Amino acid sequence: MSQLAASGVGLLLALSVLGIFAARRTPGTRLIYAACAAVCAGLAGVALLRLLAPAGGLESVEIPIGLPLGRTFLGLDPLSAAFALIVNLAAAIVSGYAIGYGVHAREPQRVVPFYPAFIAGMNLVLLAQDAFSFLVGWELMSLASWALVLSEHRSPENRHAALVYLIMASGGALTLLLAFGLLAGPEGGYSFEAIRRVSASGVGPIVLLLALLGAGSKAGLVPLHAWLPLAHPAAPSHVSALMSGVMTKVAVYGFVRLVFDLAGPPAWWWSVPVLVIAAVTALLGVLYALMEHDLKRLLAYHTVENIGIIFIGLGLALAFEASGLRAAAALAFAAAIFHVFNHSLFKSLLFMGSGAVLNATGERDMERLGGLIKAMPATAVAFLVGCIAISALPPFNGFVSEWLTFQAILLSPQLPQWVPRLLVPAVGATLACSAALAAACFVKAFGMTFLGRPRTQAASSAAETDRCSQIAMLSLALLCLLAGILPGFVIDSLGAVTQMAVGARLAPQSGQAWLRIVPIDIHRSAYSGLLVFVMILLAAAATAFAVRRVASHALRRSAAWDCGFPDASPATQYTAGSFAQPIRRVFGSVVFRAREQLTMPRPGDTAVARLQVELRDTVWDALYTPIIRFVAATAERLNRMQFLTIRNYLTLVFAALVALLIIVGTWR
Amino acid sequence: MSPLDSDIAHLLAGSMVLLSFLLLYQDRMFALLNVFALHAYALACSVAWQAYLQRAPHLFITALIALLFKGVIIPLALRRIVVRLGIHRSIETVVSVGPTMLFGIALVGLSIVVMLPVTQAEGPFVREDLAFALSVLLLGFLMMVTRRNAVSQVIGFMSLENGLVLAASGARGMPLVVEISVGFSVLIAFIVIGIFLFRIRERFDTVDLQALDMSRGEAL
């Protein structure tokens, strides 16, 4: 099975080379994307088989390249298999979408060769069973996606985004390198097998910190999220879908692999920084998203929020596992991985929808869209499903995983330490707050984009997207519904993963009546997606029936209702900015240091009234600006070093040598 | 090994350190070359003694290389260069001798402080030998840093390399291949530097490196 998976990675790399030649013509581009879809589907199938297989030993493939000291091992254990399934399922559907969407790229030769390499990199990270191939895959993933971000390199914004991304990615890779270096210990056994055997004591907290920095910067944990809303929208939409929906999951995998698998048994306080950062991430992510009116940037910020939710689950799992509450840890961990799966589905779906909108109208700004539900009904339905799912409303999948996370939060009184016992309810409140704000955010996203009347010419002349894209989006929407109705199946197939990560699994859910899930105890809580779905259907049918039958059929004609529409201009509609204003008033003055300035002309004056809103990115101002300034100032100083004499250079080398010797001499 | 054996080894290595100090304050070219030749002889003797002590015949070859190349060929060639450059009568302005010597003494102290704890696993003989070698190396470096004349810098570099060879021969088991390749690389460095000296002189009429610094950018 591992051989199959490894050869899949090889195939993707070969496709990447083929892509260089195939990208010259449209059929070639389509062919490459179709082949990617096929390979990813195959890989997803392999991963599913591995996940459902009765527990077997890890069979790994040895590849005769690698570090001089160690060899390269690729293999699928349950954890890699779960993530490989998530990644490849989404990648297959996104590739299917790209068959239709990808041909619109302005310069396909800048996209097509890197796209399979990007997927191959992510798969290599998941398959890696040693630190070397993990890092090689990680870098392949980062660099290929960097090239994809830069594919529309003519706009200075994209170049800036790519630069920021490249810096963050290299920093992240460096911290992961350090983490693996610490884990490998003095003997330098870089295979995961050897690291698990050594399990050097004392490095755990540092590895946790490095994993939070390295994997967190890739996943988008606040305050390392800064690159994400820049880079994700800059790429072509199918790549954005992969970066936001899938690559962030690979980062979560990196964190789980390091902290749950390799770093040894956790201490209870490890959960504290994870929970705090995760809660802040969830809340700030959704607030940023609410303030954003660019559709793709909104989605990117929303990824930050969902990463926060996932890390809340992981932090809870750490806390429970450290205190020996294995069942609760399994619940929290399963909730996190379930949310990883869900987010990969609906975030890919939403990005594909925004790509379709972008393609049809050439606009990403919601203030210039509107009324697209009439022109693009299939896209609108799929996008709506994605919005409902990401807002965690039943019967879709987002609800199930957030509900499970809340169930885990409600178990926190069992924790013996008072710090997490006090902290977890606060985290739960933050999570609830961000879930509510997320719903508001997607009401805005869907309402401004698809409802109302078109605000611009471009929006009114939009047309439905192509067949391939529609099929891809609708199939993801269907998957969202299925995962929401059949959550028991998902939880059961995650059993082996939780067993591996936290040493326990949830009770099997498949035997329950009404397809319901019972995470802890039937007397405590249970949820049946099917029942809720049926009830929603019944209620909707009853309402429709009532409206059709009971309401009056008399035809009424009247003048347009003035309220809100004193004139017929679409500019008088409710806007995204006005929708977000109440929330901006509540949170904005602190979080964004928002400043509003109203210039109102005196009565009778014909000058324009003006409302200016200024928002600042506080995280950027507080953290990144000083760093940038410091680096610039240091570079300015170091610049003088370029013009020294040879003797001065020698003196510098000599001084450095002597200084190092003094350090060595006085060390002990 | 008997105490006398190790005493002789220390005497030879210590004399190299002493000669390094002599190199530091020589301000006349020929005297500098003579001291450098002495330095190489001391190295050859030291390596040969090590060869005898360790019963390692290949170290005799090393000693022979040191004697031939560094003791005879390179000083002679440098002497010719100095004569042809016409700087054999000039007195080099050495950076103030007193502080330099004091600094050199501090460096020797430093190398002893560094080496002795680091190499605790080894025998006392190897440890002290390594400390001497490190001091020779640092003193050579110090000479490169304090001198302006290119020829003196070459000599500083060569004495630094002598320190490396001393360390390697004391540490038991430097393969001959490494030694030969180091020897050749030094020779090549010597040739290259020699050629450069003439090229520099052709352009600037001096081998004082300060003249080079002034016109860097368009020349070289």
Side-chain angles (χ1 to χ4, degrees), chain A residues 604-636:
Chain A
D605 191 350
T606 52
V608 209
R610 209 174 270 284
L611 174 67
Q612 276 182 316
V613 180
E614 190 194 320
L615 295 179
R616 300 200 59 87
D617 187 339
T618 34
V619 176
W620 185 274
D621 286 354
L623 186 69
Y624 290 88
T625 314
I627 293 178
I628 293 169
R629 247 188 240 138
F630 173 75
V631 169
T634 320
E636 188 71 27

Side-chain angles (χ1 to χ4, degrees), chain A residues 365-597:
Chain A
D365 188 352
M366 279 183 258
E367 310 275 30
R368 302 171 60 78
L369 294 170
L372 292 180
I373 195 168
K374 295 189 192 73
M376 313 173 72
T379 308
V381 168
F383 199 88
L384 180 62
V385 169
C387 287
I388 299 175
I390 202 171
S391 308
L393 294 176
F396 292 98
N397 53 356
F399 175 78
V400 185
S401 50
E402 287 199 31
W403 183 77
L404 286 174
T405 310
F406 275 112
Q407 294 303 317
I409 286 174
L410 291 178
L411 288 178
S412 66
Q414 295 180 10
L415 284 170
Q417 302 87 9
W418 61 269
V419 175
R421 231 185 310 171
L422 286 181
L423 179 67
V424 172
V427 168
T430 320
L431 179 58
C433 177
S434 62
L437 290 173
C441 182
F442 278 96
V443 168
K444 180 180 95 169
F446 186 79
M448 297 307 145
T449 311
F450 288 97
L451 303 182
R453 285 175 298 155
R455 291 181 175 81
T456 52
Q457 183 63 40
S460 58
S461 59
E464 182 59 284
T465 180
D466 56 275
R467 197 48 64 86
C468 279
S469 308
Q470 288 179 35
I471 292 173
M473 288 189 285
L474 290 174
S475 58
L476 270 183
L478 188 66
L479 277 176
C480 283
L481 183 63
L482 281 181
I485 294 180
L486 303 167
F489 173 73
V490 181
I491 293 175
D492 283 351
S493 48
L494 288 177
V497 186
T498 54
Q499 181 73 47
M500 183 183 160
V502 294
R505 56 172 77 206
L506 289 173
Q509 310 285 340
S510 49
Q512 299 285 346
W514 291 103
L515 293 176
R516 71 186 167 197
I517 49 171
V518 182
I520 310 154
D521 186 13
I522 185 71
H523 301 298
R524 192 172 171 117
S525 54
Y527 166 72
S528 164
L530 182 64
L531 268 185
V532 174
F533 184 52
V534 169
M535 267 174 349
I536 289 175
L537 280 187
L538 284 180
T543 315
F545 178 80
V547 168
R548 298 262 162 177
R549 282 299 167 90
V550 183
S552 159
H553 280 267
L555 190 64
R556 284 181 293 173
R557 278 182 196 284
S558 60
W561 187 42
D562 258 7
C563 187
F565 291 97
D567 70 34
S569 159
T572 55
Q573 294 177 93
Y574 209 45
T575 63
S578 37
F579 188 86
Q581 194 206 25
I583 295 162
R584 192 179 70 225
R585 285 267 167 87
V586 176
F587 294 98
S589 56
V590 182
V591 183
F592 302 104
R593 279 190 277 151
R595 238 177 285 146
E596 283 183 23
Q597 198 183 4

Side-chain angles (χ1 to χ4, degrees), chain A residues 643-647 650-651 653-654 657-658 661-662 664-665 668, chain B residues 103 107 110 114 118 138 141-142 144-148 153 213 216:
Chain A
F643 305 103
L644 295 180
T645 64
I646 302 168
R647 222 158 60 99
L650 276 178
T651 315
V653 174
F654 185 54
L657 180 66
V658 170
L661 283 176
I662 289 175
V664 171
R668 58 210 84 200
Chain B
F103 194 61
L107 285 182
L110 175 66
V114 168
V118 170
L138 289 177
F141 215 140
L142 181 62
M144 286 181 79
V145 169
T146 51
R147 294 302 181 105
R148 289 230 179 94
Q153 287 207 327
D213 298 334
R216 203 172 36 163

Side-chain angles (χ1 to χ4, degrees), chain B residues 136-193:
Chain B
V136 171
L137 198 149
L138 289 177
L139 289 173
F141 215 140
L142 181 62
M143 180 163 169
M144 286 181 79
V145 169
T146 51
R147 294 302 181 105
R148 289 230 179 94
N149 189 308
V151 176
S152 333
Q153 287 207 327
V154 173
I155 291 197
F157 174 67
M158 298 278 172
S159 72
L160 185 153
E161 201 270 338
N162 284 351
L164 281 180
V165 174
L166 180 66
S169 71
R172 282 179 198 253
M174 175 165 77
L176 191 61
V177 183
V178 178
E179 163 59 19
I180 289 176
S181 56
V182 169
F184 271 107
S185 64
V186 168
L187 198 66
I188 287 167
F190 166 74
I191 293 168
V192 170
I193 293 171

